[in-house]
Amino acid sequence: MLEIFRLIRLRTIAFTAFTMYAMRFLVILPLLDKEGVDLQMPEGDFSLLVIAVCCLVSAAYVINDYFDTKADRISGSRPVIVGKTISRRAAITLHTLLNMVAVGIAYYLARNVHHSEIVFLFLVISAILWFYSSRFKKRFLWGNLIVAFLAGLIPLTVATFEIPLLNEAYSDVIVKTQMDFNNVFYWTSCFAYFLFLNMLIYEINKDMYSVNGDRAEGIMTIPVKCGIPVARKVIITLVAVCLISLVVFFIMEFRSSAVMLVYFLIGLIVPYLVYGYSVLKNDKMKFQLRLIRLIMALCIGISLFLHHFFNCQA
């Protein structure tokens, strides 16, 4: 059982669930409270949505490990599970079951919001993740960009299912007052943007330590094709983009809040600077990867302060 948890990346699943619940209750709910409207997706349905997304994420890790067994054995950057403690047949069976659960739940929920086409999003993502592991990840940059893009979709998924229900429930109010829910999409998109950048940084950083296995398997990552020094420069550039984006985001949305200023400085800017320095200094892999994962969580942590911030604005 422990090996299965390691295979499906229980820590990543917990972060995915945390992100989705944070978007619902710490971002979308305070925004709706300002407009005097309520969340429309039932709590049970939302829990099912979280399960569906977590199943997709788990399935992605299972199939990735299935195809990466040789590369992982050569690089030694992480323990090999598929083919060693869990058979390849069991891994494929687990991957199939997780995808079936995810798509089945998505179909049920999509019918509830009267947008059955949403289920095709889950089908497409499931297919993309298969082809990512078997083909796309071997192409230069494509693998990193696909993973980062799909990670960025996690916050947006919450809004994608909630907004149609809001439009239906408050259709009369929308017509009379010209109210819309664009702010819900805007704020979740901001979190999606930072999650995309952080995941892209994480993937490139991780590739720096699996370069031997990736080269043997013909996987054209940045470190394999351009070298580790170039990969470090790319990471530092992306960190600089994150820092500039944080400053712009703060000026646009939070410049009047002392609490947010302290959080941005201590909780985000300082960790980014420490991380950038550790990459340049070539610190241990585990420290770098743990730090960028912490920064991902800290970026989502902005949501903890939004209810207070929106109340101060009201």
Side-chain angles (χ1 to χ4, degrees):
M1 183 61 71
L2 180 60
E3 292 301 309
I4 292 178
F5 287 151
R6 292 173 65 185
L7 182 61
I8 65 175
R9 306 301 198 279
L10 190 61
R11 179 174 52 194
T12 303
I13 299 309
F15 175 73
T16 300
F18 164 70
T19 299
M20 295 184 70
Y21 275 102
M23 292 303 104
R24 177 172 171 83
F25 292 109
L26 302 177
V27 179
I28 297 177
L29 181 58
L31 287 169
L32 297 181
D33 284 343
K34 284 179 61 180
E35 302 293 338
V37 299
D38 300 315
L39 289 166
Q40 294 301 306
M41 191 173 194
E43 297 301 327
D45 284 359
F46 181 74
S47 296
L48 286 175
L49 176 61
V50 174
I51 292 172
V53 173
C54 288
C55 283
L56 271 187
V57 173
S58 296
Y61 279 113
V62 172
I63 198 63
N64 188 64
D65 281 9
Y66 178 87
F67 284 110
D68 271 5
T69 301
K70 182 179 177 181
D72 290 341
R73 187 179 295 115
I74 294 172
S75 66
S77 58
R78 63 179 178 225
V80 176
I81 298 175
V82 176
K84 187 175 180 181
T85 56
I86 294 178
S87 70
R88 295 177 67 81
R89 182 187 294 273
I92 283 292
T93 301
L94 179 60
H95 169 264
T96 303
L97 289 174
L98 288 168
N99 276 312
M100 289 176 62
V101 171
V103 173
I105 292 175
Y107 178 73
Y108 165 75
L109 295 177
R111 287 175 60 89
N112 282 2
V113 300
H114 309 299
H115 285 273
S116 297
E117 66 273 12
I118 293 178
V119 73
F120 289 104
L121 175 64
F122 277 72
L123 287 169
V124 168
I125 290 175
S126 177
I128 288 174
L129 289 169
W130 172 279
F131 284 110
Y132 157 77
S133 297
S134 60
R135 296 184 182 181
F136 292 149
K137 73 179 302 179
K138 295 186 177 182
R139 299 179 182 179
F140 183 62
L141 275 181
W142 273 101
N144 296 144
L145 290 173
I146 288 172
V147 171
F149 174 75
L150 293 178
L153 289 181
I154 293 172
L156 291 174
T157 301
V158 183
T160 299
F161 278 83
E162 187 66 44
I163 289 176
L165 293 174
L166 289 167
N167 287 332
E168 181 179 355
Y170 296 100
S171 56
D172 293 340
V173 177
I174 291 172
V175 171
K176 292 178 182 178
T177 65
Q178 301 300 309
M179 179 181 69
D180 59 49
F181 300 104
N182 291 338
N183 57 345
V184 170
F185 184 77
Y186 165 75
W187 280 94
T188 52
S189 295
C190 289
F191 285 96
Y193 169 76
F194 283 105
L195 191 52
F196 166 82
L197 287 177
N198 287 324
M199 184 58 73
L200 186 56
I201 292 171
Y202 175 82
E203 287 296 312
I204 297 172
N205 198 167
K206 181 165 60 70
D207 290 342
M208 288 169 52
Y209 296 95
S210 60
V211 64
N212 293 330
D214 290 341
R215 184 180 289 115
E217 285 292 284
I219 301 173
M220 287 294 104
T221 62
I222 293 176
V224 169
K225 187 169 185 177
C226 305
I228 290 178
V230 172
R232 286 200 184 98
K233 292 177 182 178
V234 172
I235 289 174
I236 296 303
T237 300
L238 289 171
V239 169
V241 171
C242 290
L243 289 171
I244 293 170
S245 299
L246 283 173
V247 172
V248 171
F249 188 41
F250 175 82
I251 293 173
M252 288 177 58
E253 302 296 342
F254 303 115
R255 61 182 179 273
S256 61
S257 174
V259 172
M260 296 305 290
L261 175 61
V262 172
Y263 185 83
F264 269 63
L265 287 174
I266 298 177
L268 294 172
I269 292 177
V270 169
Y272 268 122
L273 292 174
V274 172
Y275 172 74
Y277 178 75
S278 72
V279 171
L280 289 175
K281 189 182 175 183
N282 194 25
D283 282 335
K284 292 182 179 179
M285 175 190 69
K286 287 185 178 181
F287 175 74
Q288 293 178 25
L289 297 183
R290 285 172 180 170
L291 187 53
I292 190 60
R293 283 196 294 259
L294 173 63
I295 290 172
M296 286 189 211
L298 291 171
C299 284
I300 301 299
I302 296 172
S303 61
L304 296 170
F305 301 90
L306 289 184
H307 188 275
H308 170 75
F309 177 74
F310 291 145
N311 284 342
C312 291
Q313 280 188 322

